[in-house]
Each structure stands twice: as structure tokens, then as C-alpha cells.
Amino acid sequence: MIEQYVLDLQEVDETQVAVVGGKAAHLGGLSRIEGIRVPAGFCVTTDAFRRIMAEAPSIDERLDRLSRLNPDDREAIRTLSAEIRRTIEGIAIPGDLAAAITRALAQLGEQAAYAVRSSATAEDMPTASFAGQQDTYLNVVGPAAVLQHVSRCCASLFTERAVTYRLRNGFDHRKVHMAVVVQQMVFPDAAGILFTADPVTGNRKVATVEAGFGLGEALVSGLVNPDVFKVRDGEIVAKTVAAKQRAVHALPAGGTREVAIDPQRQEQPALTDAQVVRLVQLGRRIEAHFGRPQDIEWCLVGDDFQIVQSRPITTLFPIPAARDRENHIYLSVGHQQMMTDPMKPLGLSMWQLTAMAPMHEAGGRLFVDATRRLASPASRAGFLEMVGRSDPLTRDALETVLDHHDFVPALPETDPAGPPAGGASAPIETDPAIVTELIERSQASIAALRRDIGTKTGPALFDFLLEAFQEHKRVLGDPLNMQAIMAGMEATWWLNDRLQEWLGEKNAADTLTLSAPGNVTSEMGLALLDVADVIRPNPEVVAFLRGVEDDGFLDELPKFAGGTESRDAIEAYLDLYGMRCVGEIDITRPRWRERPTTLVPVILDNVRNFEPGAAERRFEQGRQEARKKAQEVLERLRALPDGEQKADETKRMIDRVRTFIGYREYPKYGIISRYFVYKQALLEEAERLVQADVLPEKEDVFYLTFQELHDVVRTNQVDDKLIQQRKDAFRSYQALTPPRVLTSDGEAVAGAYRRDDVPTGALVGLPVSAGTIEGRARVILDMAQADLEPGDILVTAHTDPSWTPLFVAIAGLVTEVGGLMTHGAVIAREYGLPAVVSVVDATRLIPDGQRIRVHGSDGYVEILP
């Protein structure tokens, strides 16, 4: 293969990133768009970079050392990356390469001024922009200076910030190569940046233009505040003109310098309104060409715009694909399910196939379309009320969108005699036998699934699963199931509302639900205390567990005194709860049964922190407190006007809560039990694909949808490129924060608390479990890293049922996501833990080890001195 060291920008396009890097590939693409002017230039290719690197002494050994560094070890990165840069800058550019660059310069004008800019192969990509990671040099004059700056650009692949970025984002230093763009220098009157989508709100219909005088370096380096224009549908909708005191200009002999701007000119806009609108039109053309929102660097020379860079905006949250061009409002499913991390494609498609409502995917997360519920005045109020009870931030976000007049057109009023909003079902009698019957039905259905799936393989398995998903939905959608779930929730709301009105008591139901019977999730937390009771008397087992790293540890336990009983206790626990794990709605996540080491730190905490019999004592104590509270409330009510009637109604609701609130957790347990059966069957198919050399490893099936996996099993053929693209996309989704509410315009709306009843400096949230507690904050993002002492307060992003074993050891709970009826809140109430959820950025704002006070009745957290 003939190596190409220099290519004209007119010869390259977006398909040649491996040869010319991201920046040059985009510039080549730009130069092909009608009406877009790009300064003339050429690219020194990655072949040239490899030629230079081949001259570098002991570079392989240094790159090996670099890839082993911890991304947080800044000192080591700084030292080694500086050493590599010095080496590369010290290499004389080989003669034939230097000649090729000099020939290209001669064609453009040897003594002209140039911009010399790095263009890495992992740069300006849809999933990683690498913005600002490598170097740019402006106004470089003469062949010798250009050659010197080409070397500097090559070396800038190893700046400290670029190396750290690659380490953090999993890029191999050896697989990223550098090309260098050499372009004729533009001497602009004004320059700046155009975002074709609003970079703050994500709104794809609002473009943002930032502009200043002179070269764009003044803006990029933060030397001046730019003028900012917002443009929607060809009109400027917002405009801020800044006082621009300085600019960067080119010097005749090369290089740049800062200059002061004439005071009369400082407050003049750098662009006219007409120029702003014209620039945005050019931006829309560029966006259409690349197929996604762009971050564009532009220069204005006279009245002519030149484009010097365009790259994707990688920080925007993607928008669910819609079949129409209407406006839509999407609600995050993850914020309801306590799992805001991205899901892999198999996990997404399995949840979509088994969910009761249609769901839309974006950014590795699921959303439901709430537009119709909000468009109908009849259902809007009830829907907002229901959402607000669960999560005030989501309600506020929805109201923010609804305040944008005309975003959601109102549907005509439906027949007022229709069913109430929220799909409320007829109430059911308070009878524990209903819960027993529902649990028996669910268990029978899962037993039948386990029995029947064992005989199915190949395409027949997938046909069987599609039928199983219908049974899955039938069990979930059983009217009696829905009535039992709603009965406990509605009784809780009734008690809180009425007892506040009648007795002035906040969140009274929190105490009345302590140790409610039949809650499979709270039983799971207490059962791990019983496991600790079996292990505690066996010091050899405890010592062994402290050093466990391998998931095969259960087979080792019988070698120690008391090990057989300890293993049997853990195995029995896994038989009941081994299908659970963090992020369990994603079928691809490793279950406790697959990775039992996850539970070891929690078991050891329980061994250390509790006395034998703690589970039973704890449950009984909660039951007695709830009983005492019920008696006290009823006595106080009887002393009121109409007291007997109020007490009778309240007694009925207390009985209703005690009967049904525990069942609230069971349907999810049933779903996850079924998921584990599905997963085991699918992984057996994946193992067959590995044996047949169709796949290199069975976990690759996680990056295919259910239907795609079905096709692979049918044809024994897989698209390796698709799997790699999905892996790259998943990695990029991990860096995104999903919004509670997302519009079809791309606007991500977080919502805010509108409260003035909290102390200054306190963090506001949603009160979900009454009481006030002070203690040490333990900020834990991975359950396997838990190390808790009695009295600690757990601070985390979100908790699903798998976190419940930690709840027995803590004194309070603070989460960033959650609502009144999400799992963390329900279990906190059952265990009597003061809890505040939906505290924005709690894990960032509360330092680990900080003393805090949690106000579980009033919904705020104080950081104590």
C-alpha cells in the first residue's frame, strides 16, 4: 500500500476519519456543501504521524506504561505525557515527508499565513467530541515554522488532558492517531461559535450564536464575554450584547496578540441581526448534511462567513424517534423505576416487550409519551395530581412545558361521564385472602414458565418467549392486581391528607405502615440478618469471607468449621432473592445468583453491626409502634366533633393499608423472577452461538435487541460492526444524565421545588418517611462498596429493591431520584427510617463522611458544621 502523507481538503470527506482524523474529515465534508465556504488547505495524514512515531525511541514501552495509569493519578500522567511530547517534538521530520508538506505549501503560497490544527482519529465523533484536547496554532508563517508546528500538533496527542480523557473514556492510546490540518489563515472582523441546538436546554429548534470581534480565540480562551443571540424559526428570540473590551488579532510576522477595543465600539454587536439569521441558515444546512446538531466555529470577513470547524454536540440527550411531526412530551421511566443508568439493547427491548404501556428509547433509557394525557383537559388535572404525589420535580417540569403556550394543543373535552383520570378502578374489600390469592397465582405462573421453557431451544425458544411475554402482561394487568396495588397507595394518601386536616399531623401513614406484613422487599433485607446469624458464630468462615473476590466462593465454604451451614444459608437466600440486583429492570445486569460476591460486604456488615435475632426483634418493634400509633390516632379522633365517624373511617383505612401496602412490592418481584428465567434461557442460546463460532463471547448478545437475537439464532450470522457500534453508543450514553421530562424539540426539563419553608443552605427534596435523624453521611454509588456503621445515613443516586439489605444497617436515607411510592420510600417507611428523596445532586453536594440532619417529615437535608 502506497502511503499518502498529504491530501488536499477537497479530496477528503467524513468517511476518511482513519486517514485524516475527525476535524479534517468534517472540514472536507463541509467544503462539499453548497454555499458553505471553508478556507483552502491540506491535511498531513495519519500515515505521516505513524512515520514520525516510528522514529521515536522506546515509544512502545512508554505507551504501555501510559495505558496502565490510573486516570486520577495526575502527577504520573503529567510526567509521562510530557516525556512523550518532548520525544516527538525532538524528532526531525523525515525528508520525503517534509518535502510533501513543502510542495503543498508552495501550491497555496509559501509565505502566506496558516492555521495549523490537530485532527485526531478519535475527535469530533458523535459519541466523543474530544473538544479542546489537542492543539491549534494560528498565523504560522513560512515552511520551517509550519513543519515545526506539525510536530507540535503530533505531540499534542499526548497532552495531559488528552491522555486523561482517553483513560477515562476507555480509548486505547495506540489506536488513536493524529493528522494535522494546515489551512490558509483567515483574518476576521468577527468570529465565534454557532450551536445549532441550544446547548443548555437541548432544544433542537433554538440555535445559539456567540460572537466577538477579531479571532475566535478570545471567546474560546474566555478572554471576553461574547454577544449571545438565540434564533428560532428564522427570528432572533433573545439577544445579549456584551461589553467586549479586548480582541485577539494576528501579527504580520506570525503569531497573535491581544488588543484593546476602542471604547465607542465595545458595546456594539459583533454581528447585525441579519448576519445572525444568515449564519443560522448556514448552520442548518451544515446540520442537515451531518445529520445531527453541530457546534460550528465561524469567521466573518467583510460580509462573508467562512466555516473553520464543525463537530457534533455530544452533550445533548437524544430524542425518542417519533412517527409524526407533532409535539410530544416524554416522561422518564428510569425515574419511576429507580434506575436512571443506561440499559443495553437487549434490556431495553425486553422491558418494552413486557411493559404494560408503549415505551420509546433514547440515550439508552426508556420514556413514555404523556402527550395525550396532558392534551385532554379532563385527564390533565388528574394526571398532574398523580405525578405530583409521586415526584414534585416531574410535575413542575411538566407544568413548565405546558406553560410554553401552544406546545401541547388541547384536545376537545371528552364525555365527562367517562372513567376518572388516572384509570382509577373500583375499590376492593379489605381481605388478606386477596393478597394470598394474587401471590399464589403469580407463583403458579412462574413455576409453569420454568417448567415449559426447559424444553425450548433455537427459534422455537423465541416463539415460546413471545407467548410468555403475553402471560407476563396478563398477570401484571389482572384487574385484581391493579386494584390491590392502588388500594394500599390510595389508603396511604387518604390517611396522610385526612390526619393532617383533622389532627394537624404530617405524614401519619409513615408510622402506621411500619413492619406491614407481606412485603417481599423488606423481608429480603431482614432475611440477610438471619443469614448473618448463621455465619457469626464461625470465625473461620468470617475470616474467609473478608478475603473473598471470586464468585465461586460458595463451593469453598464447606472447608471451614461451620462452612456447610453458612453456605446453605446463603444458598437458601439466593433461591428466594438471587434474581435481584442493582438496576434489575435491565435483564443484562448480573444477578446476585450470578455474582454472589455482591452480597458479601453486606453480610459482613450485618455480622459486625447486629446481635443475633435482630431481624425478628426489628420487625416486632415496628409492628408494635404501628399498633400503638393506630390506637393513639383513633383516640384523638374520637375526641373531635363527629369523632366516632372519623375514627371508624380511619380504622378502615388503617386496616386497608396494613392489608395491601406490603403487596405493592410483590409485582416487581414477580417481574424480576420471570426475567431471570428468560435470561438463563437466552444465555444458553448465546453459549451455543459461541460454540458455533458465531459470537466471540456470550455477553455480546446484550448489545442486540430481542428480535435481532432471534434473527442471529435463526441464521447463525451476526453483524460484528453493529455490536461494536452498540458498545460505543452504550459507553457514550453512560456520560449522559437523563431528564425527568423530555420534549420532541429536545428540551430536557429538570423541574424545581417552589418552596420557601426550608433553612438557608439546606438541600430540598421530597419527604417520604417521617422523623428527623442526625448522623454521618455515607455516599455510596455501588452497593458492593458499602461499609456501614450503625447510625450512618445512606446517600446515593437511586435505590431499587436490591439496595434493601443495606437499609437494615442505616439510620436514614437520602437519594437523588425517587417518589412517595417508589421502593426506597416504601421500605424506609416500613423500617422507620427518616428519608428524603429527589434531592438534586445529593451525591455531589454532600461529602462522604459529612455530618448531616435529615428532616424526613419536612423534606430537606441540613449539612451540619
Side-chain angles (χ1 to χ4, degrees):
M1 192 181 82
I2 298 169
E3 292 184 325
Q4 283 186 298
Y5 293 142
V6 173
L7 288 172
D8 191 279
L9 283 180
Q10 297 280 341
E11 297 178 77
V12 303
D13 62 23
E14 308 90 295
T15 63
Q16 290 162 279
V17 171
V19 180
V20 296
K23 188 175 293 163
H26 274 78
L27 284 167
L30 282 167
S31 65
R32 288 170 155 65
I33 305 172
E34 194 180 336
I36 302 296
R37 295 202 53 193
V38 176
F42 60 88
C43 182
V44 182
T45 67
T46 54
D47 283 346
F49 172 76
R50 281 188 285 271
R51 178 80 194 280
I52 292 168
M53 290 294 277
E55 310 277 325
S58 63
I59 192 71
D60 280 340
E61 182 266 330
R62 285 169 174 162
L63 290 180
D64 280 342
R65 275 162 52 206
L66 203 59
S67 60
R68 289 196 295 269
L69 293 180
N70 182 321
D72 295 319
D73 189 349
R74 294 179 61 179
E75 190 50 48
I77 291 171
R78 185 179 300 126
T79 306
L80 186 52
S81 58
E83 192 182 302
I84 294 171
R85 280 199 312 281
R86 280 196 303 276
T87 302
I88 296 169
E89 285 180 21
I91 295 166
I93 291 184
D96 53 343
L97 172 52
I101 295 170
T102 309
R103 275 198 302 276
L105 285 171
Q107 288 175 341
L108 290 172
E110 272 191 8
Q111 293 309 310
Y114 292 93
V116 182
R117 310 163 74 200
S118 61
S119 178
T121 54
E123 182 174 65
D124 296 354
M125 300 189 305
T127 56
S129 79
F130 281 79
Q133 299 302 313
Q134 284 93 32
D135 288 349
T136 288
Y137 301 96
L138 299 178
N139 202 30
V140 179
V141 179
V146 169
L147 289 171
Q148 180 193 8
H149 286 88
V150 166
S151 281
R152 283 189 180 170
C153 278
C154 289
S156 78
L157 190 62
F158 298 98
T159 60
E160 184 188 340
R161 61 184 181 270
V163 166
T164 304
Y165 190 93
R166 288 198 295 274
L167 287 170
R168 285 200 195 289
N169 288 279
F171 286 91
D172 183 341
H173 300 298
R174 277 198 177 74
K175 289 187 179 161
V176 181
H177 298 129
M178 181 65 85
V180 181
V181 178
V182 180
Q183 268 179 301
Q184 282 182 338
M185 187 67 192
V186 178
F187 301 102
D189 303 304
I193 299 164
L194 158 63
F195 297 99
T196 63
D198 189 314
V200 178
T201 67
N203 194 319
R204 308 306 201 264
K205 291 188 176 170
V206 176
T208 302
V209 175
E210 297 185 352
F213 295 123
L215 290 165
E217 289 305 288
L219 264 62
V220 174
S221 64
L223 182 65
V224 295
N225 288 327
D227 299 338
V228 181
F229 305 85
K230 303 241 179 219
V231 179
R232 184 182 181 117
D233 299 328
E235 282 183 39
I236 295 175
V237 292
K239 174 174 167 179
T240 308
V241 177
K244 299 168 288 296
Q245 296 172 342
R246 307 191 71 71
V248 173
H249 284 285
L251 293 166
T256 60
R257 66 171 177 146
E258 286 178 34
V259 295
I261 293 175
D262 187 323
Q264 281 82 39
R265 198 165 164 242
Q266 286 177 7
E267 301 208 17
Q268 286 180 5
L271 296 177
T272 66
D273 287 3
Q275 286 170 332
V276 170
V277 171
R278 182 154 53 92
L279 175 60
V280 170
Q281 286 168 346
L282 295 175
R284 291 286 176 224
R285 210 176 287 173
I286 294 168
E287 179 183 68
H289 175 84
F290 289 119
R292 56 178 27 132
Q294 297 288 301
D295 162 358
I296 297 164
E297 291 180 26
W298 55 269
C299 296
L300 180 70
V301 185
D303 193 36
D304 190 25
F305 284 107
Q306 299 222 20
I307 305 300
V308 294
Q309 182 157 325
S310 185
R311 56 173 163 247
I313 309 175
T314 57
T315 54
L316 298 175
F317 199 86
I319 307 171
R323 292 203 179 98
D324 57 37
R325 309 201 65 167
E326 303 296 316
N327 289 344
H328 294 271
I329 301 178
Y330 300 102
L331 293 189
S332 162
V333 172
H335 284 80
Q336 298 299 313
Q337 290 293 337
M338 301 298 91
M339 166 42 186
T340 57
D341 298 342
M343 293 164 70
K344 296 191 178 91
L346 186 62
L348 289 164
S349 66
M350 292 290 279
W351 192 261
Q352 285 172 303
L353 286 165
T354 53
M356 299 303 291
M359 293 195 179
H360 307 265
E361 185 270 327
R365 278 79 167 188
L366 291 169
F367 294 85
V368 290
D369 188 342
T371 318
R372 286 193 69 79
R373 302 292 290 275
L374 294 163
S376 160
S379 65
R380 179 186 292 183
F383 185 66
L384 287 172
E385 172 69 19
M386 185 180 74
V387 168
R389 276 192 184 277
S390 171
D391 180 5
L393 290 177
T394 300
R395 176 176 181 150
D396 186 78
L398 287 174
E399 288 175 332
T400 301
V401 178
L402 292 169
D403 285 344
H404 302 347
H405 40 270
D406 301 338
F407 187 81
V408 179
L411 290 173
E413 285 282 6
T414 49
D415 177 9
S425 47
I428 54 174
E429 58 187 305
T430 301
D431 180 0
I434 292 172
V435 171
T436 307
E437 181 192 339
L438 283 166
I439 290 173
E440 285 171 356
R441 280 190 207 173
S442 174
Q443 287 175 339
S445 176
I446 292 166
L449 171 68
R450 281 202 186 99
R451 183 188 67 230
D452 297 342
I453 205 169
T455 59
K456 306 291 187 287
T457 60
L461 169 68
F462 289 82
D463 296 336
F464 171 81
L465 282 172
L466 288 171
E467 287 176 25
F469 297 161
Q470 295 310 308
E471 165 68 1
H472 180 126
K473 290 202 265 194
R474 189 196 64 72
V475 171
L476 268 185
D478 179 341
L480 192 63
N481 179 51
M482 304 310 286
Q483 288 172 317
I485 292 169
M486 290 309 296
M489 288 163 62
E490 285 168 352
T492 303
W493 296 335
W494 188 97
L495 286 166
N496 280 336
D497 292 348
R498 292 296 183 280
L499 296 179
Q500 177 146 19
E501 180 191 334
W502 293 338
L503 300 176
E505 185 156 343
K506 267 187 187 173
N507 304 331
D510 293 1
T511 310
L512 296 167
T513 52
L514 284 169
S515 298
N519 185 321
V520 68
T521 309
S522 61
E523 286 167 0
M524 176 174 76
L526 296 173
L528 208 58
L529 288 174
D530 292 335
V531 172
D533 285 355
V534 176
I535 290 169
R536 193 179 292 107
N538 304 304
E540 286 183 33
V541 171
V542 173
F544 168 69
L545 289 177
R546 285 197 185 112
V548 157
E549 288 178 3
D550 178 6
D551 286 311
F553 75 93
L554 288 168
D555 297 334
E556 303 291 310
L557 278 173
K559 296 176 183 172
F560 305 99
T564 302
E565 306 90 279
S566 299
R567 180 199 61 193
D568 292 348
I570 296 172
E571 285 282 6
Y573 185 86
L574 290 172
D575 287 343
L576 281 174
Y577 307 112
M579 78 295 285
R580 309 219 85 149
C581 68
V582 171
E584 61 191 11
I585 68 168
D586 181 354
I587 198 171
T588 72
R589 291 284 192 107
R591 312 282 134 179
W592 290 343
R593 173 52 85 185
E594 296 167 312
R595 196 172 287 172
T597 45
T598 310
L599 293 172
V600 171
V602 192
I603 293 170
L604 289 171
D605 280 352
N606 288 350
V607 166
R608 186 178 75 239
N609 294 332
F610 292 93
E611 296 293 320
E616 194 178 337
R617 277 197 307 280
R618 179 144 193 180
F619 186 79
E620 185 53 31
Q621 182 188 341
R623 208 168 65 83
Q624 295 294 350
E625 277 183 54
R627 199 163 63 90
K628 203 167 99 189
K629 182 69 176 177
Q631 286 172 338
E632 176 223 313
V633 161
L634 296 174
E635 278 170 27
R636 286 169 63 198
L637 286 172
R638 288 191 184 101
L640 299 176
D642 299 327
E644 283 302 330
Q645 186 189 339
K646 285 173 179 163
D648 286 349
E649 279 186 77
T650 301
K651 172 75 168 68
R652 276 204 305 279
M653 285 300 173
I654 292 172
D655 290 347
R656 203 166 181 71
V657 160
R658 300 294 298 174
T659 301
F660 291 114
I661 201 66
Y663 181 71
R664 161 81 181 77
E665 292 289 300
Y666 196 86
K668 181 82 173 278
Y669 176 79
I671 291 171
I672 301 307
S673 299
R674 300 178 82 90
Y675 263 33
F676 195 35
V677 179
Y678 305 152
K679 181 181 187 179
Q680 288 169 307
L682 290 172
L683 281 178
E684 283 177 25
E685 285 303 313
E687 186 55 52
R688 279 190 270 276
L689 292 170
V690 171
Q691 297 302 324
D693 289 331
V694 177
L695 286 174
E697 48 191 54
K698 63 182 181 182
E699 283 77 14
D700 281 352
V701 300
F702 295 162
Y703 296 94
L704 299 169
T705 65
F706 178 82
Q707 186 55 54
E708 288 165 350
L709 178 53
H710 187 179
D711 292 341
V712 171
V713 167
R714 202 167 37 76
T715 62
N716 261 11
Q717 290 181 316
V718 72
D719 182 347
D720 296 328
K721 270 197 186 139
L722 175 69
I723 288 177
Q724 190 52 52
Q725 283 167 1
R726 295 272 176 80
K727 287 179 178 179
D728 292 343
F730 180 74
R731 189 189 296 123
S732 73
Y733 295 155
Q734 288 175 307
L736 298 174
T737 301
R740 281 176 162 79
V741 171
L742 182 66
T743 74
S744 48
D745 284 355
E747 191 168 357
V749 193
Y753 290 106
R754 316 282 174 184
R755 290 177 56 186
D756 51 14
D757 60 340
V758 298
T760 308
L763 306 179
V764 186
L766 177 66
V768 294
S769 184
T772 301
I773 192 75
E774 269 184 39
R776 176 180 74 150
R778 288 308 323 272
V779 180
I780 298 172
L781 299 176
D782 177 356
M783 185 177 146
Q785 305 300 317
D787 179 18
L788 295 164
E789 297 289 344
D792 282 350
I793 295 168
L794 174 62
V795 179
T796 190
H798 41 73
T799 63
D800 60 10
S802 70
W803 285 75
T804 306
L806 295 188
F807 284 28
V808 297
I810 58 175
L813 175 70
V814 179
T815 67
E816 294 179 341
V817 175
L820 264 174
M821 285 297 164
T822 48
H823 306 279
V826 172
I827 305 305
R829 289 194 288 274
E830 286 218 7
Y831 285 178
L833 304 174
V836 180
V837 301
S838 266
V839 179
V840 177
D841 288 337
T843 58
R844 192 172 58 78
L845 297 172
I846 300 173
D848 185 41
Q850 172 76 44
R851 280 197 72 75
I852 61 173
R853 185 182 297 129
V854 177
H855 295 263
S857 304
D858 296 311
Y860 63 90
V861 180
E862 287 181 283
I863 296 177
L864 302 175

